[in-house]
Amino acid sequence: AVSELGLNARVVNGRAEELARLPGYREKFDVCCARAVARLNTLAEYCVPFAKPGGVFIAYKGNAAEEIEESANAFRILGARLERAEQFELPEGAGERTVVVAEKTAPTPAAYPAAGAGKGASRYERLRPYGTPRPRRGVFPQKSGSRAAFPHRGGGGYLLLRHGAGV
């Protein structure tokens, strides 16, 4: 598809939690955006490590008010700050969406994304420095009645953009 569209781009297939640990990808991009991947705190863990300080992470979400609130600690730990969240209605009653923009303000600690940060990772395996005690319930709040604090949802994707660089 890249060549058909005539884009100056390279497609890389891999897991975000693995690629974000590689020096060629970690903190190299001006923008990392994603949609339909996971709850915002998990998505931040996947994406913020790709953005360089001064870059941004952009998430396209549904109604994200609760997720934004529960992501405050994740943004702080990962070296990002919520810049804005803009809600809008899709045409023809197709629902509400939110575009969340977070600025990368500091390097992400080397421990993130956490090993195993994906399918099956417990909420305690995520967003805590290695070797620290597991937090008590409620540190990473989740929607009441949900099956998991950090569910992985298929069908999403990531886009990484590097300003002025041929890839």
Side-chain angles (χ1 to χ4, degrees):
V2 170
S3 61
E4 289 175 18
L5 294 172
L7 299 175
N8 179 17
R10 180 177 52 150
V11 175
V12 177
N13 185 15
R15 297 190 62 85
E17 61 271 28
E18 294 168 0
L19 291 174
R21 294 182 164 278
L22 300 176
Y25 295 96
R26 189 173 187 89
E27 298 186 335
K28 301 291 186 202
F29 299 91
D30 294 302
V31 177
C32 180
C33 57
R35 59 166 287 283
V37 176
R39 291 189 65 82
L40 187 57
N41 50 356
T42 302
L43 194 55
E45 184 176 358
Y46 291 159
C47 293
V48 170
F50 287 107
K52 62 185 177 185
V56 294
F57 158 53
I58 302 170
Y60 178 73
K61 303 292 295 173
N63 184 346
E66 181 179 314
E67 291 184 48
I68 290 168
E69 186 177 318
E70 75 184 28
S71 297
N73 190 48
F75 284 138
R76 182 187 58 76
I77 290 170
L78 296 167
R81 158 185 83 70
L82 179 66
E83 190 173 293
R84 69 182 178 275
E86 297 185 22
Q87 292 183 326
F88 59 94
E89 288 288 328
L90 294 175
E92 300 177 15
E96 184 178 289
R97 297 293 183 269
T98 305
V99 175
V100 178
V101 179
E103 179 185 6
K104 177 82 172 262
T105 57
T108 299
Y112 303 105
K119 287 187 175 182
S122 81
R123 72 176 134 186
Y124 301 116
E125 293 175 284
R126 314 171 66 62
L127 293 177
R128 69 178 178 91
Y130 290 127
T132 59
R134 290 181 174 218
R136 290 190 304 269
R137 279 181 115 21
V139 173
F140 297 113
Q142 64 179 340
K143 188 175 183 179
S144 177
S146 65
R147 290 189 1 230
F150 302 98
H152 175 80
R153 292 181 173 89
Y158 305 92
L159 174 65
L160 304 170
L161 304 172
R162 186 177 300 159
H163 178 70
V167 283

